[in-house]
């Protein structure tokens, strides 16, 4: 077995340039496959977790971008009176870009005491008391801090907003790490925003026994007679609707991942066929020495799988490293999708590489095993 393994390695290394080009091509294709998979995982995490299903978002009816939704802050008191509602947190949202962007900056303003209870945020640096006591203080998600090179004590300005970084936080929800939190009054009274007494949305937290859909209907009905009509949805449904254009784009990118798998299959299969054709006589000699055709076929499949798996391992490793280091995200209308590495993503990359390598080697393996010995020995 060891000798046959060494034979496979020697066969691969015999044409170094061809081998390196094949491995590089497989690595690039799997790199793209992992990035596409990361975006899909990010969307799934954002819209399907428990918080997304048990939390309601009250938004102005027929509005999309956060800058266009303006609800009375006093609505929180009326919402809190509805059966099934445990807590209501008014949120003011500001974003530098309502369109899809890879460098979107989103500010969420909320009462610090409610924010601390509603979000499972862990400060990796800085302190919460400074954030609570200073009106212009902000805590920054670690992805934003990485992209903007921010740390506690820094001054951060964008548009009309100028904040003092009081801390950097991590969150079990990756998308949260692309946000900047400030006090509610800071965003309401910042010059140019003109939002005194108004908020973008109300975030409603429910009791354990409450039915989200029934409570949502009750909220809209209770506020129907108010100055501003509302639309209330589960947080996950709200985010999916907000990201509708991106959801379609991500769905299309899913086919790009399949195309990458097909590219690897064609590339490795072509390389393996060329290798088999170069060694037709060599395989015939092996059979004359007692190596059965089935063993020859397995040698060819092993060579194909090794090529593909090596490229897949390289591409997956580079993709996961960039995803882990870069803090990348894409967002629209104040909602972001985080690109994060994960063990399932790594396992998928490795599994796809191995399976594609085996499939790519089947046809060349059959060719090598079925070529008549006499015919093969006559090859020049």
């Amino acid at each position: 077995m060891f000798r046959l393994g060494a034979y496979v390695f020697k066969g691969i290394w015999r044409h170094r340039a061809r081998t390196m080009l094949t491995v590089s091509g497989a690595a690039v294709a799997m790199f793209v496959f992992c990035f596409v998979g990361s975006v899909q995982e990010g969307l799934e995490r954002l819209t399907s977790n428990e918080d997304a299903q048990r939390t309601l978002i009250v938004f102005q009816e027929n509005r999309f971008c956060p800058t266009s939704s303006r609800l009375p802050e006093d609505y929180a008191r009326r919402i809190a009176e509805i059966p099934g509602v445990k807590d209501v947190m008014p949120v003011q949202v500001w974003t530098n870009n309502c369109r899809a962007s890879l460098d979107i900056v989103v500010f969420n303003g909320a009462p610090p005491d409610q924010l601390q209870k509603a979000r499972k945020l862990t400060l990796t640096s800085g302190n919460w008391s400074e954030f609570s006591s200073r009106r212009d203080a902000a805590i920054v998600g670690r992805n934003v801090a990485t992209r903007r090179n921010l740390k506690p004590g820094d001054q951060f300005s964008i548009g009309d907003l100028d904040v003092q970084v009081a801390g950097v936080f991590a969150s079990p929800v990756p998308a949260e790490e692309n946000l900047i939190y400030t006090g509610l009054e800071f965003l309401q009274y910042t010059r140019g925003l003109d939002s005194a007494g108004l908020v973008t949305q109300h975030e409603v937290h429910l009791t354990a026994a409450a039915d989200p859909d029934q409570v949502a209907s009750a909220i809209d009905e209770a506020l129907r007679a108010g100055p501003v009509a509302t639309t209330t949805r589960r947080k996950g449904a709200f985010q999916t609707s907000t990201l509708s254009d991106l959801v379609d784009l991500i769905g299309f990118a899913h086919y790009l991942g399949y195309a990458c798998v097909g590219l690897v299959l064609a590339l490795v299969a072509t390389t393996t066929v060329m290798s088999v054709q170069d060694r037709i006589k060599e395989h015939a000699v092996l059979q004359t020495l007692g190596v059965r055709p089935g063993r020859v076929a397995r040698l060819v499949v092993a060579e194909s799988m090794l090529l593909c798996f090596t490229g897949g391992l390289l591409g997956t490793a580079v993709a996961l490293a960039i995803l882990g280091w870069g803090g990348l995200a894409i967002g629209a209308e104040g909602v972001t999708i985080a690109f994060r590495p994960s063990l399932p993503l790594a396992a998928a990359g490795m599994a796809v590489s191995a399976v594609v390598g085996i499939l790519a080697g089947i046809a060349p393996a059959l060719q090598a095993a079925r070529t008549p010995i006499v015919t093969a020995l006559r090859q020049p």
Side-chain angles (χ1 to χ4, degrees):
M1 181 64 69
F2 175 78
R3 291 180 179 179
L4 292 177
Y7 174 79
V8 171
F9 278 104
K10 288 181 179 179
I12 291 174
W13 198 242
R14 186 177 302 173
H15 297 280
R16 294 176 179 80
R18 186 169 68 193
T19 297
M20 296 304 293
L21 288 173
T22 302
V23 169
S24 299
V28 171
M30 292 309 300
F31 176 88
V32 177
F33 176 84
C34 288
F35 252 84
V36 171
S38 176
V39 177
Q40 293 170 331
E41 279 191 357
L43 180 62
E44 181 69 19
R45 283 193 300 263
L46 181 67
T47 59
S48 301
N49 59 48
E50 183 179 357
D51 177 66
Q53 299 303 315
R54 297 291 305 170
T55 303
L56 302 178
I57 299 296
V58 183
F59 210 72
Q60 185 173 350
E61 188 177 33
N62 299 323
R63 292 293 187 272
F64 300 95
C65 183
T67 57
S68 66
S69 177
R70 300 168 69 84
L71 297 177
E73 184 180 351
D74 185 63
Y75 273 6
R77 178 182 54 80
R78 298 170 62 180
I79 295 172
E81 297 172 351
I82 295 174
V85 174
K86 181 172 64 176
D87 189 27
V88 184
M89 183 172 71
V91 180
Q92 179 69 21
V93 181
W94 182 92
T95 177
N96 66 327
N97 190 353
C98 260
R99 298 181 179 179
S101 173
L102 286 171
D103 192 29
I104 189 171
V105 177
V106 182
F107 283 80
N108 277 9
D113 56 338
Q114 285 188 286
L115 180 64
Q116 191 170 18
K117 291 188 297 182
R119 298 283 188 273
K120 298 177 181 179
L121 306 180
T122 303
L123 291 185
T124 58
S125 59
N127 61 82
W128 195 273
S129 60
E130 183 178 354
F131 171 62
S132 302
S133 60
R134 289 191 55 167
R135 181 172 174 177
D136 65 340
I139 53 174
V140 180
R142 61 180 178 180
N143 286 352
V144 180
T146 299
R147 293 199 304 269
R148 300 278 175 165
N149 194 27
L150 298 175
K151 59 184 182 301
D154 288 349
Q155 200 77 17
F156 177 62
S157 300
I158 185 169
D160 294 323
L161 300 181
D162 186 9
V163 297
Q164 182 84 15
V165 178
V168 176
F169 69 84
S171 171
V173 181
E176 292 277 343
E177 296 179 356
N178 297 297
L179 302 178
I180 299 176
Y181 285 108
T182 68
L184 176 61
E185 292 183 354
F186 173 77
L187 287 185
Q188 287 179 320
Y189 291 96
T190 294
R191 185 181 62 183
L193 299 187
D194 189 27
S195 299
L198 300 174
V199 296
T200 302
Q201 63 198 41
H202 290 281
E203 186 173 295
V204 181
H205 300 272
L206 306 177
T207 60
D211 181 274
D213 296 326
Q214 291 182 0
V215 175
S217 299
I219 290 173
D220 289 337
E221 184 63 30
L223 300 178
R224 192 176 303 279
V228 181
T230 61
T231 297
T232 304
R233 286 171 289 187
R234 300 189 191 207
K235 189 175 182 179
F238 170 77
Q239 291 169 329
T240 300
S241 176
T242 301
L243 295 170
S244 57
D245 292 339
L246 280 179
V247 170
D248 293 338
L249 182 61
I250 292 170
F252 177 78
H254 190 68
Y255 295 103
L256 178 62
Y258 289 141
C260 289
V261 172
L263 175 63
V264 175
L265 180 63
L267 179 65
V268 177
T270 300
T271 300
T272 308
V273 166
M274 293 172 64
S275 176
V276 168
Q277 290 176 343
D278 288 343
R279 290 185 287 162
I280 289 178
K281 182 180 290 188
E282 188 175 316
H283 290 150
V285 171
L286 286 176
Q287 292 185 57
T288 61
L289 294 176
V291 178
R292 295 181 177 276
R295 177 64 64 85
V296 173
R298 288 196 293 273
L299 288 174
V300 174
V301 171
E303 181 177 323
S304 171
M305 186 180 72
L306 184 60
L307 281 172
C308 191
F309 190 79
T310 302
L313 178 63
L314 179 62
T316 301
V318 173
L320 295 180
I322 293 177
L323 289 170
W325 171 79
L328 301 175
I330 188 171
E333 298 182 15
V335 179
T336 63
I337 300 173
F339 303 173
R340 293 285 290 273
S342 67
L343 288 177
L345 186 63
M350 294 296 92
V352 168
S353 299
V355 171
V356 169
I358 293 172
L359 293 177
I362 290 177
L366 292 176
Q367 178 186 357
R370 291 179 177 178
T371 302
I373 296 177
V374 175
T375 302
L377 290 174
R378 289 175 180 173
Q379 294 292 322

